[in-house]
């Protein structure tokens, strides 16, 4: 696996934000038994992975239909990631996901979509599909990132006990800072290409 793919795995993990989603998963599945939690998490993560992989193969076609250029996608993707990063670093009021209304048995919504396969993750795989002539290597990146994300969500209960609320918030802010830097780099790259071809 090339350094570019490894970088994409890391960026996708930042976008998926499994640590930031732990409180949401705990709240959403708090009425389920441990066995039911594992089954639901595995099912929803599998659905989200399938959606992301599908976008790898149809992303180039979608961009062609919508007549979107590489710089436009890179700039918009950078803006989306930057806004997400700001929310991670500076959570808005009422961000306490642990108090979210529980749902008895979520299916696709809201776990698979949009919590895991959200707009930012879909935009990222669309960009990868547009920039790469062969989407197959990126399938491995999506599968690896999804596997790590699934593993973290599966251990959400012990992870929450170990890190605590403050620990989870600190980790989310750290990932937000890293994501901010990567989003700015995407914006710079997109703007360079846009102005060079203008």
């Amino acid at each position: 696996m090339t350094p570019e793919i490894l970088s994409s795995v890391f960026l996708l993990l930042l976008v998926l934000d499994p640590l930031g989603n732990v409180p949401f998963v705990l709240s959403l599945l708090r009425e389920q038994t441990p066995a039911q939690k594992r089954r639901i998490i595995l099912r929803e993560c599998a659905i989200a992975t399938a959606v992301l992989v599908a976008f790898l193969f149809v992303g180039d076609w979608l961009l062609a239909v919508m007549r979107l250029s590489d710089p436009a996608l890179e700039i918009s993707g950078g803006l989306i990631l930057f806004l997400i990063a700001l929310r991670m670093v500076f959570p808005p009021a009422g961000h306490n996901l642990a108090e979210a209304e529980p749902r008895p048995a979520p299916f696709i919504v809201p776990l698979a979509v949009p919590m895991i396969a959200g707009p930012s993750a879909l935009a990222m795989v669309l960009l990868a599909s547009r920039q790469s002539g062969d989407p197959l290597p990126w399938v491995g990146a999506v599968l690896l990132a999804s596997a790590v994300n699934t593993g973290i969500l599966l251990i959400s209960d012990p992870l929450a006990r170990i890190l605590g609320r403050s620990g989870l918030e600190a980790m989310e802010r750290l990932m937000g800072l890293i994501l901010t830097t990567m989003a700015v780099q995407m914006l710079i790259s997109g703007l360079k290409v846009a102005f060079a071809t203008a």
Side-chain angles (χ1 to χ4, degrees), residues 3-17 52-53 55-56 59-60 63 73-74 76-78 80-81 84 116-132 138 141-142 145 179 182 186:
E4 183 182 1
I5 300 298
L6 289 176
S7 175
S8 298
V9 171
F10 182 66
L11 178 57
L12 187 55
L13 277 174
L14 290 175
V15 173
L16 294 176
D17 190 21
L52 292 172
V53 171
F55 263 73
L56 273 174
D60 188 63
L63 290 175
L73 183 61
E74 193 161 9
S76 61
I80 292 173
L81 293 182
I84 292 174
I116 300 173
S120 54
L122 294 175
M124 180 183 171
V125 296
L126 278 172
L127 181 61
S129 174
R130 187 70 166 126
Q131 290 181 337
S132 176
W138 294 90
V142 171
L179 187 59
M182 302 182 80
M186 285 182 65

Side-chain angles (χ1 to χ4, degrees), residues 35-150:
Q36 289 173 328
K37 285 182 181 180
R38 286 192 297 271
R39 185 171 64 252
I40 292 172
I41 290 173
L42 288 172
R43 182 191 67 207
E44 299 302 299
C45 287
I47 293 172
T49 302
V51 172
L52 292 172
V53 171
F55 263 73
L56 273 174
F57 290 94
V58 302
D60 188 63
W61 175 79
L62 286 175
L63 290 175
V65 169
M66 294 183 289
R67 298 182 180 181
L68 296 177
S69 64
D70 290 348
L73 183 61
E74 193 161 9
I75 292 171
S76 61
L79 286 173
I80 292 173
L81 293 182
F82 185 73
L83 292 175
I84 292 174
L86 285 181
R87 289 175 62 88
M88 292 169 68
V89 178
F90 306 106
H95 183 65
N96 188 0
L97 295 177
E99 296 177 359
E101 182 181 352
R103 298 172 186 260
F107 180 66
I108 300 180
V109 178
L111 281 180
V113 181
M115 192 188 81
I116 300 173
S120 54
L122 294 175
M124 180 183 171
V125 296
L126 278 172
L127 181 61
S129 174
R130 187 70 166 126
Q131 290 181 337
S132 176
D134 182 13
L136 289 179
W138 294 90
V139 174
V142 171
L143 293 178
L144 181 57
S146 298
V148 175
N149 178 71
T150 303

